[in-house]
Amino acid sequence: MVITCLNENFSPIDTLTCGQIFRFTEISDGKFLVVSKNKACVLFSFNNETIIECEDADKDYFHNYFDLDRDYAKIVEFSKNQRVEFLEKATEYGKGIRILNQDYFEMLISFVISQNNNIPRIKKIIEKLSVALGEKRQFKGYVYHSFPSLTAILSKDEGFYKSIGLGYRASYILSVANAVKDKIIDYNSLKDLTTKEIKKKLLSVKGIGEKVANCITLFGLHKSDSFPVDTWIEKIYKEDFLGKETSREKITEYFIDKFKDYSGYVQQYLFHYKRNFIK
DNA sequence: CACCAGGTGTCAG
DNA sequence: CTGACACATGGT
């Protein structure tokens, strides 16, 4: 099964390398294997189109996963017209980014691992986790491993997570998994709440702070009134927005107040541009 | 050797 | 409430 769309607002490389997803590999020049939950697809651009190849049964899943029903031209236009020069450049640079509709539980665990860590190492740890606790599968001859289930994650102890490189975050992953098991932050308990209410619940769990909570609402629940503030965004806030606040909670508030329901998209343009284009 | 990476928990003031 | 510090690990 093949899904095609115009690539004007869908750049595979920018969408995959902007830091929202950790499970992809380049299988040949510009061609990627993308893994989500227990499914995989092949993604690439050809001429003026972006092409997604997947199993017939997964067509709807990946159509939604790549957020194909949303009008990104409108988002790009909004972002470019905020009278902030740095943001205008960042948007032009990252206009092909789409915010994926990834699996909630996968995002929860992935972003707990991400804290005070760098993206290449996060990818390695998540791959180890999936090889150890996920199921081995294949798509078009490419072998991949599904993301571990809650049960699989709860079946191991802190020592195991330290052994695959989680360091001091080993206890956090179990704390978060148990909070899901206890129905405190499972998907069904959160899906109908407002973004603020969801963040409050997430923050009550040991191992989830302000930044990770925003990543989970944005990447796991597509709540675009989220704005994760990490070291890069903190730098942008000081250098390019000349902000004076110091707490990440206040900085998040500043941006969400400014960009409302577009905050999450704006955040991605800024982060991607600063990390890749600016030295 | 120090410093950094998609930070958070804890504790002193 | 805010600021400092510890916390694993691997890369410059």
Side-chain angles (χ1 to χ4, degrees):
Chain A
M1 167 57 67
V2 173
I3 306 170
T4 61
C5 61
L6 294 177
N7 66 12
E8 169 70 17
N9 291 113
F10 188 178
S11 154
I13 180 83
D14 290 320
T15 296
L16 296 176
T17 62
C18 70
Q20 60 177 326
I21 167 177
F22 304 108
R23 306 212 64 199
F24 66 94
T25 46
E26 191 162 20
I27 52 186
S28 61
D29 194 32
K31 208 164 185 174
F32 303 90
L33 183 72
V34 180
V35 178
S36 171
K37 210 171 171 179
N38 58 353
K39 308 175 200 312
C41 68
V42 169
L43 178 69
F44 59 98
S45 264
F46 185 70
N47 293 331
N48 64 338
E49 286 187 322
T50 287
I51 297 165
I52 303 154
E53 297 172 347
C54 66
E55 302 284 4
D56 290 1
D58 298 338
K59 188 191 169 205
D60 291 346
Y61 182 86
F62 283 112
H63 182 97
N64 175 63
Y65 179 83
F66 289 109
D67 208 24
L68 296 184
D69 289 332
R70 199 177 307 274
D71 182 2
Y72 276 79
K74 186 179 144 196
I75 295 168
V76 166
E77 192 192 346
F78 170 90
S79 188
K80 276 187 180 173
N81 291 327
Q82 296 304 302
R83 302 184 159 279
V84 181
E85 200 190 338
F86 184 82
L87 178 56
E88 195 180 327
K89 286 182 186 160
T91 308
E92 177 56 32
Y93 180 78
K95 64 186 176 189
I97 293 174
R98 306 182 81 82
I99 296 195
L100 305 173
N101 290 300
Q102 300 189 74
D103 179 66
Y104 166 74
F105 181 68
E106 185 168 342
M107 292 299 95
L108 190 59
I109 299 299
S110 296
F111 279 97
V112 167
I113 294 169
S114 80
Q115 61 178 265
N116 201 26
N117 211 337
N118 57 65
I119 292 176
R121 209 167 84 87
I122 298 163
K123 287 185 69 175
K124 279 182 197 164
I125 292 172
I126 291 175
E127 187 56 26
K128 277 191 207 172
L129 188 68
S130 301
V131 168
L133 300 177
E135 289 169 29
K136 189 173 176 181
R137 289 169 182 261
Q138 272 194 46
F139 175 61
K140 295 187 77 169
Y142 300 109
V143 173
Y144 67 96
H145 295 265
S146 65
F147 194 82
S149 66
L150 171 62
T151 312
I153 284 178
L154 286 171
S155 74
K156 296 290 183 182
D157 63 4
E158 214 174 301
F160 167 77
Y161 293 109
K162 282 185 177 164
S163 78
I164 61 166
L166 274 185
Y168 69 90
R169 309 173 198 84
S171 69
Y172 296 168
I173 196 174
L174 287 170
S175 152
V176 167
N178 275 298
V180 173
K181 187 193 76 179
D182 297 339
K183 310 284 182 197
I184 298 167
I185 55 165
D186 63 313
Y187 178 76
N188 282 326
S189 302
L190 303 182
K191 64 181 171 54
D192 298 323
L193 304 180
T194 66
T195 308
K196 272 191 178 176
E197 289 166 340
I198 297 169
K199 281 184 196 169
K200 196 177 167 188
K201 287 212 175 191
L202 290 170
L203 286 169
S204 73
V205 177
K206 188 170 173 182
I208 302 177
E210 182 69 24
K211 188 268 172 184
V212 167
N214 274 274
C215 284
I216 295 165
T217 52
L218 179 57
F219 302 127
L221 298 165
H222 214 109
K223 297 291 185 188
S224 56
D225 52 340
S226 306
F227 198 99
V229 177
D230 71 325
T231 54
W232 293 96
I233 294 289
E234 220 173 75
K235 217 178 293 177
I236 292 167
Y237 174 73
K238 286 178 185 147
E239 293 172 4
D240 306 298
F241 286 78
L242 307 177
K244 301 294 178 212
E245 299 290 350
T246 54
S247 86
R248 290 197 168 180
E249 190 183 353
K250 289 266 183 63
I251 299 173
T252 293
E253 221 171 273
Y254 164 83
F255 281 114
I256 294 177
D257 196 48
K258 204 171 173 60
F259 301 121
K260 313 287 190 218
D261 282 343
Y262 290 90
S263 298
Y265 305 99
V266 168
Q267 195 272 2
Q268 285 301 97
Y269 299 139
L270 292 173
F271 176 81
H272 188 56
Y273 184 60
K274 191 78 167 179
R275 210 168 70 90
N276 293 282
F277 188 71
I278 310 287
K279 289 185 284 283

